[in-house]
Structure formats: structure tokens, C-alpha cells
Amino acid sequence: MSDQSAVVGTVTEVFPDWFSPDSRPGYAGYIVPSERMREAAGYLKNRKHFDMLTSVTSADYFPEDRIEMVYHFRRSTGGEPLRIKCFLSRVESQIDSLVDVFPGAELQEREVWDLMGVRFTGHPDLRRILTWEGFAGHPLRKDWKEPFFEDEIKPYKSRWPEGKFIRAEEKNPLGDNLCFPPGFDPESWVPDKDEILYKSMTRVAKAGEDGMDSDTIIVNLGPQHPSTHGVFRMVARLDGETVVDLKPVMGYLHRNHEKIGERNTFLGNMPFTDRLDYICSMSNNFAYALAVEKLLNIAPPERAEYIRVIMAELTRIVNHLVANGFLMNDLGAFFTPVLYSLEEREFILDFFEAASGSRMMCNYYRFGGVVRDLDENMMSMLKAILERLPRKMDELEKYLIGSEIVRIRSEGVGILTPEAAIANSATGPLLRASGVPYDLRRADPYSIYDRFDFDVCVRYHGDIYDRFMLRIDEIRQSIRILKQAVRDMPSGPVLTGKPQYQVRVPAGEAYGRVEGPKGELGFYLVSNGKTNPARYHVRAPTFINLTSLAGMSRGNKVADVVTILGSIDIVLGEVDR
Amino acid sequence: MKESLNSPGVQIPEELSGLVAITTLDRIYNWGRRNSLWPLMSGLACCAIEMICTAASRYDFSRFGMEVMRPSPRQADFMLISGTVTKKMVPQLVRLYNQMPEPKYVVAMGACASGGGPFKEGYSVVPGIDKFLPVDVYIPGCPPTPQALLNGLMKLQEKIDHQALKTDAHWYKKDGSAPIPVPILGPDLIDLRKVEQIRLASQVQQPASDADNNEVPHE
Amino acid sequence: MYGLGILKGLSVTLKHFILTFVDDAKRGKGRYRSPQGIAYKQSTELSGLFTVEYPEEKLPVPEEFRYIPFLVYEEEDGEKKLRCTSCGICSKVCPPQCIYIVRTVDPETGKPVPTPAEFCIDVDICMNCGLCAEYCPFDAIKMDHDYEIASFDRMKHHVFDISRLAKPVSYYASIRPKNYKTEEDARAAKAAAKQGTASA
């Protein structure tokens, strides 16, 4: 945090009523009065060059009457994030929206409104995002209980020693995961018909060149659609075939990750993180382990660090293979590129399975290391994969990048300018393909990435083709890192301390982040000294990257929208959580 | 294939084996159906990735006649519920199921689709798709590996093998099967078959004392 | 330009197609449905056809593979004795809380007896994370390799009780030989150390 205080330290002298340091033990950053937040954000952006609003979240400190808004600002030139907090009352819970200063706050503020019930004044489109219009209550508030609520924290007492098996349904009066507000009459209920959504979309009534007045139409893509990469919905307003406006609709896979995570023990969240971005479970583990290690103030041994990097880079390769494969699918190269990509992925999955026990849900990282060592067999397996991969990448490149169809459909389509990318808080390949060389492994190094020799890949056109090529470049860089890691790997233990199933974590807050394959994956944790986190927030890269989707789609044809979406590379488990 | 087509116990002269099959109508009908099951192309969550792996080169379920993943429910034979079903998604799934032509089957892949899985306690998760759709085969696992999925799909084929035209083929009956009412999204998910129950349950509850608390917890 | 890129790309698919036959000719019948064939399909030297013909061919799962947990029992004079002492650590560590244990209580003294009276795992909640096996201090609960457990009725078959969960120690030794050996060695060393201190 030295970086931060150097920046804001001067500010506190100039504007003592704006920024006051958060001096609670275990906490860091600055507290800003909520009515000053918008000005402060503008000041940080324009004068102090904190041009990216990385994450917007909130934490409920029930039973105290306090909700804290937590903002993380970053500089696109690198460095640690700056944490700013605002204290709100739980009853009033209102704050100025930052959307006109940082457009990247749009979806995040909607999420905070939906789950925490903080109203943002001046937000252009404050609707529920993960649940639906009409949903009762704001689930992340600590006094909100779900229908299957059993206890505040796990482990539940009903499991042992008198753990008679009983299904949760049997304890619910409706025999299902349901709970209605008192006095609710289902027959008089009028469900939301998305009218507000449709009305909120830009409408252009214009007379065509031939004098004919043509109206625009609304097209819903998804949630059940073969090319939306899962249960994702896009509402597009079309003028002919051209997209006038587009709104993403999500929440079809909202699995209450954060609510469940606040009840789980710290260790119990580890396998849940696997199911966030289910294609790259290892990097989810990595970010979460880093966050908890920050709270615990421990570091993994040398060998574990190398194993972690190996796993994270293999995950990156897996993700980029899959992302590129499915992008080609969207472009019309139906399934052959995916099949070739998945073939290579299988070998890496075999390696993951041998190391961790599961192909996809690895649950491999522990606080202070990894769960088990890689033996000689596994190392030779890894070397064989590293020998095969470059060859196959050449083949894939030869197969796809020269193809005229690929180039015509992807070059110059879905352009995202660097300014827009930064303003929308985009991270990962989406940002780097727009010409911003921002990679957390270099910009805000973690683990042992400073020891490896690799390039931050960057491309400058910001179109679909560049995103596709950037992923191929990154695979090559990952292979480079992997080769160095295998070469330098020391022997020794892989876990600090004894394996513990109930870690007591000192009170405080921490933000752990990695450069995940899709962007900055961060975990914001608040601990109150118990065995479970008091607040558990996931800064999901693809969720925030989707802010750019509308801007990239406007003016393109509707057929290109699916490819633009494919090039962002979303995974719904992470978008909806 | 001829082994499964031939009726057991019927002797076929050796010179004709491989050319002639003696079978029952049920058997040939089911043989045709079991070997051309087309799944509905719908992925929900993590399990969908394993489903794609099963469709990809290594496990390749086209060996079972299932390679034609249909994006349209009108052309699909069975629905593979691959992943967590949320309350927001279930109306769409029920609608898709209603649009599928008979005979239709539902396979619940993974813990989430079968019974809610690790996310069962969550407020917006449907604890098992069988609350709405009649499920034929359940595949445990989180996620089931491709081989486990194939095993489950073979179970489905096994089920089809044992369906007799006379007794089980309800899709040829006049009244057929009624569509399942599509649930609507209220303060919580409203299953239209349970409207009366929901009204009764919400009448019993006392109004919340805490004005801040919109939801009343159940004991 | 002018379609050359597409042709170049198609040559790759053509190469894949031809390699299938070349590889078949080179390797002969042993490539399919034989142990060495499966081993070849898992190796990175693989070219040509990639498909594993389940159920005739099954990919062997690695030792650490985890699916549903099971309980290990020792066979002593024909009697099945569960290693589990119903200490409850597995049910506490289980992230989705799917393990239900009823402790046995001695009817006379009212004190707990170290063996479970009931032990249930709801398979429809279990997330196969393996934490129960990892933190069991008695090596009593382990992750199974059996994945062929699809069923027609989840209400009947998806809550595994002791009779379904219990598996002999010989089965455990067969699916996880390395783990079994290290555990047995550690136990032997511990016993020897204990004996050493006792005799001293």
C-alpha cells in the first residue's frame, strides 16, 4: 500500500475533509464522505491518473447500521489498487452514481443495487441484474434469509453427532426452495414483462433515404441460444440488420455464490471457487488463496509457488484454446476448430486430473501452498505436453489465421478503442487487444511472476481478429513461462504449516487478485475473526468486460454480435456467480 | 447392432445370420429410437463443458447416434439438463420441454440438475429439475466425467429398450400429454400448480416486525 | 489471398484425415480395444484417431481421481469393522454439508461409542471436492473411483447409507495403491515408535 499513500498522502493534506485514512486494524485505504464520492472519483481520475475503476462492491456490517461501499481504483500504467470506502446507513443507503465519471461502474452498481439494496442516484438504468424485477428483498444483506436457511455459519449442528438425514425440502412449508412475503396473493401478481428494459433502449425514429419511415425492432437472443456461450441473453434493437442498441441480460445462472460463500468456512469456499469460471478453476483457486494468505499473512514455500504458476499458466492455455475454438464456432467454422482445441485441452486435463483428482473442479490450492506434490511421472507428463503444444499451435495458426473468411468477418469488427476499454474497466485480452499493455503479472506482480522472462502481449486494432490473435500470442508466452518454471523448479515442501480444516483468520480485509485468463480476477474478503468470511466478493472479469459489449456492438450487423460476444470470452458461471 | 435387434431365443440358420433378423415390433421400434437420440443443444453451467467434451473427439457420443445436437426443441428427442437450474431460467426450460415433440426424455446431468447440488441452499436455485420436468435418468457427480455421462446416456437407451408400444407409448394416445404450466417469476418462483398452497402458506405467516426485512425466514 | 488461406487451412484438416489411416496401418489392430491402445491414446505422441470407445475401452482414471466418497472397513475374522470413529470432522469440513452422521451411544452407559450408527451422504449435494478424505484423521473416508452410478430414481438411490458406502480395505488398496502404501508405512512407523517408547 506504499504506492497508494504516496499518492493520496498529499491529498489528505490538501483536502482533509475528503480523504481520511481507514485506520481500523487490518483495514487499509481511505474513507470518503458519501456525498463527496463523485467529486473525489473525478479528482482521482483527472488529477491523480487513477483511470480505471476496477471494482465496486459493498459490505454489510449488520447489526451495526452501516453498509460500506468499497471502490478499488487502478492506474492503467500499473501499480497497486487504491481502496476508497464510503459509509452508508442501512436504511437510507443512497449514494451518487459514478457512471458518468467511470462508465465501467454501470453493471457493477446495478449488481450492488440488486444484491445489497444501495440506490445510486444518477444511474442511467438502475434495474435488477442478477435476480429479476419483482424479487423480494436484497439477498446479500445480512438479515435477509433464504428459504433453506439453516444457520448463520457452517458447519451446521444438525449434521453431527445427531445427523439424521433429512432433506431441506421437508423443513419448508411449501416443500420447496420457496418463500413468499406475508399476505402474497399469487393470482393477482403481474409478472415483469421487460417493458422497462425495452423502453430503456435507444430508439431512433428516422425517415429513410427513400422517405419511408422505418421502425426499429427488438430481438431477444438467448437465454437458450447456441451461440451465447451459456444462459446469457442479449436484447438488441435493430434497424434492419444493424444494431442500434444492445443490452445484456444476465442472472440466468445466478447461483448465490457470494451468499453461500459468506456462510462457508474459509477452506470450504475453495471448491466453490472452482465453479465460478469453470473452464479455469485453477486460477480461481489461485486468486482466492492469495486473498486469504494476505489475511493470514503467510506465504507458500518455493516449490509450491512454482507449482502454482505452472497450474495457472496451463489454465490460461486451456482457456484460450477453448475461447478461440468457440469464437471460430461463432464465425461459422462449425466445430472443427473446437474439436482440435479440445483435443489439446484433453491432455492438459489429464494432467490436472492426475494432480488434483478432477478434470475441471481442481480444488488444488490451499492456504500456504498446494494440496499435493507433483512427482516424477507428472513432471515428464508435463514436459511431453510442452513438447506437443507448440507444434499443435503452429498447426492451428496455419489452419485458421490465413483463412479469408475468418479475416473478413473479424477484421475491423467490434472495435473497442483503448480509451473506451479503460473507461469501461475492461481487463485481460479485451484490454490488451485494444493496445493497452496492462497485465497484472507485470503491472501489479504477485506470486513469483517477476522471476520469469515473458512478454506482455499487446495488439493495437481492438477488433475481433486482434483478440483472437492475442490469445494465440499469450498461449506462446505461457508455454515460455512453463518451460522456465519446469527448468527452475526447486524441491522441497509444498505447504507451509500443517494442513488445517478450520483456519481462524484475523479480522481485517484483503483483496487478492490474479491476471486470470479472462482478466483481473479479484476476491475482496472481509474477516471478522471467525472461521467464515464476513464478506466475500468476487470481482469477476467477464462480468465487468460485458460493460463494453453494447458499445462494441452498436453499428454492427446482428450476425456480428454473437462473434463480438465470443471474442469477449464470457463464462456464465463467473458473470452471474 | 443385429444382436440387439434379434429376438432372443429365435434360431436363425447360420447361412442367414447377419442378413436376416427376426424381431418383434417393439424391438425394432425401440432399436430405431435408441440409436438416433438427438439431444437438445442447451448448456446451463459447468456440466455443459463436460457435455461438450463428451461430444468432442475423445469421447464422441456420435457413436451412439447422438451427434446431432439440435438448437431447436422441435427437432430434439431428449433434453440434457447440464448444470444448475436457477429460478430465472426454469420458465425457459419448461417452455423448451413443452415444445419438444413426443416421445421426449429428460436426463439430469450432475448433482445440481438432479437435486440442487452444492448450490441447493441458495435462494435462486431450483433444487432439482424434477420439481418441474419428469426426469428419466439421473447422473450423479459434480461434474460427471464424460465417461460417467456416457454411462448415463446408455442407461437412457436401456430405458427405451424396455418401453413397450402397447403399454408405455402414451404419446400415441389421443389425449396425449398435457403441457407443463410455465412457472412465473414473482417475489419468488410461482409454480402455477401450487398456487393454492402458496396462498395458504403466505396467509399463515405473520407480518414481519422488522420493516427492513422483506423476507421472513422459516424455522 | 483469393482463397489460398482457406485452401491452406483445408490442407490441415486433410492431413488429420489422412493421418488416421496412416496411423491405423502403422499400428494395426492393437490400436483399438487393447490396454496398449488405450495407453497410446493417452500419450502425447498420439496422431490419428483420438476417440476412446467407451464402454468397450475405458480410460483408466488416475490414482487421485475423486468421485463420491466411500467408507473403508477392515475385515477381521469375517467381521466388517468400519475405520470410521464418527468423530465428525468430515461432516464439519464438507463445504455443502452433505454428510449426515449419527453417533452410536452405548445404551447402558450413555457414552458415545467410536463407530457411526448412521452415516449418510446426499449424492445430489456432494460436490466431489475430496476435503472429507483429505482431512479424515483415521483414513476412514476415501474418494471412490466408481463413476458408473447413473440411476432412474434419485429419491431411492441417491442418498448413500452405510451399506452403500462401506467398501473393504482391499478395494481401497486396489484403487489407490500408492496412497495405501504410504499410509500403511506411516502407521507401521508410528506403531514401531510407540513400541519403542513402551519398551524403553
Side-chain angles (χ1 to χ4, degrees):
Chain A
M1 293 284 159
S2 55
D3 188 13
Q4 282 185 17
S5 35
V7 172
V8 191
T10 54
V11 182
T12 47
E13 287 155 24
V14 183
F15 303 107
D17 55 336
W18 281 27
F19 298 89
S20 52
D22 190 351
S23 50
R24 292 171 288 176
Y27 285 74
Y30 294 87
I31 299 166
V32 173
S34 61
E35 64 276 6
R36 289 241 177 256
M37 188 58 214
R38 229 179 108 234
E39 285 170 275
Y43 175 81
L44 285 172
K45 183 184 181 184
N46 298 324
R47 297 293 182 79
K48 296 289 167 189
H49 312 296
F50 280 96
D51 46 359
M52 289 168 95
L53 177 60
T54 302
S55 111
V56 179
T57 184
S58 56
D60 184 7
Y61 283 80
F62 188 74
E64 291 166 58
D65 179 29
R66 191 170 86 241
I67 286 180
E68 286 182 12
M69 289 297 304
V70 184
Y71 298 89
H72 285 88
F73 293 91
R74 274 188 189 280
R75 288 171 159 173
S76 59
T77 45
E80 285 186 351
L82 172 68
R83 189 179 300 145
I84 304 284
K85 290 193 204 86
C86 289
F87 291 177
L88 306 177
S89 140
R90 292 183 85 245
V91 188
E92 301 256 319
S93 60
Q94 202 164 21
I95 192 168
D96 282 340
S97 166
L98 295 189
V99 173
D100 48 355
V101 189
F102 291 100
E106 189 194 341
L107 296 182
Q108 304 188 62
E109 286 185 351
R110 277 178 68 189
E111 185 199 319
V112 175
W113 154 244
D114 186 1
L115 300 183
M116 198 60 99
V118 176
R119 204 170 265 284
F120 293 88
T121 43
H123 191 285
D125 185 23
L126 196 66
R127 284 177 295 115
R128 286 188 181 265
I129 186 163
L130 296 180
T131 60
W132 54 90
E133 289 298 326
F135 186 81
H138 299 285
L140 276 187
R141 294 216 170 185
K142 287 283 181 194
D143 52 359
W144 192 94
K145 306 278 192 310
E146 53 264 80
F148 279 169
F149 176 78
E150 196 172 331
D151 205 345
E152 284 295 340
I153 54 165
K154 290 177 181 177
Y156 298 147
K157 297 195 173 55
S158 66
R159 300 296 193 267
W160 178 87
E162 288 301 321
K164 269 273 183 222
F165 174 73
I166 176 167
R167 282 181 211 275
E169 282 95 330
E170 290 165 34
K171 291 187 252 171
N172 185 297
L174 284 166
D176 202 345
N177 191 2
L178 294 176
C179 178
F180 290 91
F184 172 70
D185 179 20
E187 271 156 14
S188 63
W189 176 259
V190 186
D192 177 45
K193 292 262 198 293
D194 285 340
E195 272 155 8
I196 307 170
L197 166 64
Y198 298 148
K199 272 190 193 138
S200 73
M201 302 185 70
T202 327
R203 221 187 159 89
V204 270
K206 48 131 203 188
E209 281 167 16
D210 48 359
M212 297 257 277
D213 190 12
S214 58
D215 200 10
T216 51
I217 53 162
I218 292 229
V219 172
N220 275 294
L221 285 105
Q224 202 313 105
H225 190 276
S227 56
T228 51
H229 295 239
V231 283
F232 180 68
R233 177 172 154 213
M234 291 179 283
V235 184
R237 186 178 275 283
L238 302 181
D239 176 23
E241 273 200 47
T242 313
V243 177
V244 180
D245 197 7
L246 183 137
K247 284 255 157 92
V249 182
M250 45 205 133
Y252 294 95
L253 191 57
H254 178 46
R255 303 193 276 197
N256 332 132
H257 194 92
E258 292 178 8
K259 184 84 179 169
I260 295 176
E262 283 163 23
R263 189 170 305 132
N264 279 344
T265 58
F266 276 97
L267 178 70
N269 271 334
M270 189 59 88
F272 274 94
T273 61
D274 290 337
R275 286 150 181 84
L276 272 174
D277 175 356
Y278 33 77
I279 293 177
C280 8
S281 60
M282 289 280 197
S283 39
N284 303 342
N285 286 179
F286 199 174
Y288 179 61
L290 284 178
V292 179
E293 280 163 11
K294 260 191 195 169
L295 281 172
L296 288 171
N297 203 9
I298 53 172
E302 275 290 281
R303 187 176 171 83
E305 291 273 27
Y306 276 90
I307 295 179
R308 283 179 168 196
V309 168
I310 287 174
M311 292 304 181
E313 292 309 314
L314 281 174
T315 310
R316 195 181 311 277
I317 295 173
V318 165
N319 177 72
H320 287 352
L321 279 171
V322 172
N324 275 351
F326 281 104
L327 175 61
M328 288 300 126
N329 222 359
D330 295 337
L331 281 170
F334 198 66
F335 259 95
T336 314
V338 185
L339 292 183
Y340 289 173
S341 307
L342 289 180
E343 230 169 78
E344 301 317 307
R345 176 175 179 257
E346 286 291 337
F347 289 110
I348 301 177
L349 289 198
D350 277 352
F351 179 74
F352 284 169
E353 194 177 27
S356 72
S358 182
R359 289 156 49 87
M360 281 167 63
M361 305 306 170
C362 298
N363 185 18
Y364 185 66
Y365 289 47
R366 292 288 175 271
F367 313 133
V370 294
V371 61
R372 63 180 75 79
D373 203 357
L374 303 180
D375 61 12
E376 277 307 305
N377 274 340
M378 308 245 344
M379 291 314 283
S380 54
M381 203 168 159
L382 178 61
K383 280 174 195 152
I385 292 171
L386 289 182
E387 194 269 319
R388 180 187 163 100
L389 260 178
R391 201 170 70 225
K392 288 287 163 183
M393 286 316 298
D394 289 343
E395 195 182 279
L396 210 64
E397 212 166 289
K398 184 180 167 197
Y399 174 43
L400 289 171
I401 63 169
S403 170
E404 282 79 2
I405 302 175
V406 172
R407 300 193 77 131
I408 290 168
R409 284 218 53 199
S410 61
E411 279 179 336
V413 178
I415 290 178
L416 184 68
T417 58
E419 296 78 29
I422 291 172
N424 288 339
S425 315
T427 45
L430 188 65
L431 179 65
R432 288 192 288 275
S434 293
V436 184
Y438 183 83
D439 186 323
L440 281 185
R441 292 174 292 178
R442 283 271 190 262
D444 180 13
Y446 55 92
S447 189
I448 51 165
Y449 275 106
D450 47 356
R451 293 186 201 171
F452 299 110
D453 186 20
F454 69 98
D455 301 334
V456 173
C457 306
V458 63
R459 282 181 180 255
Y460 298 96
H461 297 100
D463 56 3
I464 296 176
Y465 184 72
D466 271 12
R467 279 168 226 144
F468 169 73
M469 286 306 293
L470 187 101
R471 294 204 172 93
I472 291 184
D473 296 345
E474 287 202 349
I475 292 178
R476 294 195 190 282
Q477 294 302 325
S478 289
I479 294 172
R480 223 171 123 192
I481 297 175
L482 280 167
K483 282 189 173 149
Q484 296 169 45
V486 170
R487 187 192 63 203
D488 300 339
M489 198 153 108
S491 56
V494 292
L495 191 71
T496 321
K498 268 187 180 170
Q500 270 181 310
Y501 67 91
Q502 264 190 342
V503 272
R504 230 166 237 292
V505 176
E509 59 173 0
Y511 180 71
R513 75 280 169 258
V514 295
E515 179 68 33
K518 295 181 168 71
E520 176 181 348
L521 175 69
F523 283 84
Y524 174 71
L525 298 178
V526 177
S527 165
N528 51 8
K530 290 195 191 134
T531 50
N532 64 315
R535 178 75 177 106
Y536 169 81
H537 172 76
V538 187
R539 189 242 182 239
T542 47
F543 173 70
I544 294 163
N545 285 354
L546 276 175
T547 320
S548 311
L549 177 66
M552 280 162 24
S553 306
R554 270 183 213 125
N556 281 305
K557 300 282 181 238
V558 66
D560 292 328
V561 169
V562 285
T563 41
I564 293 169
L565 181 73
S567 72
I568 298 181
D569 178 23
I570 60 166
V571 161
L572 266 297
E574 188 178 77
V575 173
D576 295 344
R577 281 155 288 153
Chain B
M1 283 301 149
K2 61 182 188 296
E3 310 85 48
S4 62
L5 189 54
N6 241 332
S7 269
V10 182
Q11 291 292 318
I12 297 176
E14 208 166 285
E15 64 270 25
L16 287 179
S17 69
L19 299 171
V20 173
I22 297 175
T23 181
T24 59
L25 187 60
D26 268 352
R27 248 186 133 77
I28 193 163
Y29 176 69
N30 288 337
W31 173 80
R33 290 195 305 138
R34 86 194 291 272
N35 290 316
S36 61
L37 281 169
W38 291 1
L40 179 68
M41 190 190 220
S42 78
L44 293 180
C46 336
C47 288
I49 305 296
E50 287 296 54
M51 178 184 79
I52 292 165
C53 282
T54 314
S57 337
R58 190 180 235 180
Y59 301 98
D60 191 14
F61 64 16
S62 55
R63 296 177 292 119
F64 299 87
M66 295 174 186
E67 74 274 38
V68 206
M69 295 267 245
R70 302 319 299 181
S72 159
R74 301 278 181 212
Q75 301 160 340
D77 292 304
F78 75 96
M79 196 171 182
L80 197 56
I81 310 282
S82 52
T84 319
V85 184
T86 59
K87 289 177 183 168
K88 204 172 176 179
M89 190 61 198
V90 78
Q92 277 79 349
L93 285 178
V94 173
R95 202 168 292 143
L96 283 171
Y97 179 79
N98 286 339
Q99 288 174 356
M100 277 166 63
E102 289 277 13
K104 53 189 171 188
Y105 300 91
V106 176
V107 177
M109 175 185 182
C112 289
S114 313
F119 299 97
K120 181 173 179 174
E121 59 192 286
Y123 49 87
S124 78
V125 173
V126 176
I129 188 65
D130 51 2
K131 294 263 185 319
F132 290 93
L133 310 180
V135 176
D136 297 282
V137 176
Y138 297 90
I139 309 169
C142 190
T145 58
Q147 300 198 22
L149 174 60
L150 284 176
N151 180 260
L153 295 176
M154 283 158 63
K155 277 257 184 201
L156 179 64
Q157 292 188 327
E158 195 184 302
K159 177 164 187 160
I160 291 170
D161 279 342
H162 291 102
Q163 285 186 320
L165 261 175
K166 219 172 181 178
T167 51
D168 301 318
H170 59 91
W171 49 89
Y172 289 127
K173 303 253 163 65
K174 253 192 188 149
D175 43 353
S177 49
I180 294 166
V182 178
I184 54 174
L185 292 171
D188 210 326
L189 189 71
I190 304 172
D191 185 347
L192 293 177
R193 296 167 297 187
K194 285 187 189 165
V195 167
E196 205 46 42
Q197 258 171 289
I198 291 171
R199 202 203 339 254
L200 283 177
S202 32
Q203 270 167 5
V204 172
Q205 283 169 13
Q206 294 302 308
S209 52
D210 188 357
D212 210 39
N213 187 0
N214 294 327
E215 201 87 331
V216 174
H218 295 296
E219 290 307 312
Chain C
M1 268 300 121
Y2 306 113
L4 212 67
I6 296 178
L7 282 179
K8 228 174 168 182
L10 283 178
S11 73
V12 174
T13 31
L14 188 70
K15 195 180 128 209
H16 272 253
F17 178 70
I18 293 169
L19 265 181
T20 314
F21 298 100
V22 172
D23 206 62
D24 275 7
K26 215 159 65 187
R27 301 213 157 237
K29 272 193 174 162
R31 197 180 187 284
Y32 297 96
R33 302 192 183 186
S34 69
Q36 65 268 29
I38 294 171
Y40 173 62
K41 281 176 190 174
Q42 275 193 303
S43 78
T44 47
E45 274 107 71
L46 175 74
S47 67
L49 210 60
F50 190 50
T51 309
V52 177
E53 295 174 12
Y54 182 90
E56 286 85 4
E57 294 177 339
K58 285 181 189 172
L59 277 187
V61 290
E63 176 160 346
E64 296 300 340
F65 179 74
R66 47 189 152 83
Y67 218 65
I68 308 294
F70 70 97
L71 291 173
V72 184
Y73 69 76
E74 311 263 5
E75 283 164 304
E76 284 167 10
D77 324 315
E79 224 180 298
K80 293 178 183 175
K81 197 177 171 321
L82 284 177
R83 280 182 180 179
C84 177
T85 62
S86 71
C87 68
I89 286 180
C90 52
S91 90
K92 282 178 208 157
V93 77
C94 175
Q97 298 282 299
C98 69
I99 303 180
Y100 295 75
I101 306 169
V102 179
R103 202 162 46 180
T104 313
V105 177
D106 195 313
E108 286 169 19
T109 57
K111 279 183 185 164
V113 180
T115 183
E118 280 177 50
F119 196 109
C120 279
I121 293 179
D122 190 342
V123 173
D124 287 336
I125 296 181
C126 175
M127 67 200 296
N128 309 159
C129 66
L131 290 183
C132 51
E134 199 178 313
Y135 290 99
C136 178
F138 303 99
D139 297 321
I141 188 164
K142 292 288 167 196
M143 299 307 278
D144 206 345
H145 282 185
D146 183 16
Y147 50 82
E148 294 167 321
I149 45 175
S151 72
F152 296 126
D153 187 355
R154 80 175 171 107
M155 290 299 166
K156 253 190 240 162
H157 302 299
H158 281 200
V159 180
F160 286 12
D161 56 2
I162 288 188
S163 62
R164 175 84 194 254
L165 288 170
K167 291 190 177 176
V169 81
S170 54
Y171 173 75
Y172 171 52
S174 72
I175 61 168
R176 291 175 189 264
K178 258 191 225 155
N179 284 345
Y180 178 73
K181 195 167 171 298
T182 42
E183 281 162 19
E184 288 303 304
D185 288 351
R187 199 162 302 150
K190 214 174 172 184
K194 215 176 190 178
Q195 214 161 26
T197 50
S199 61

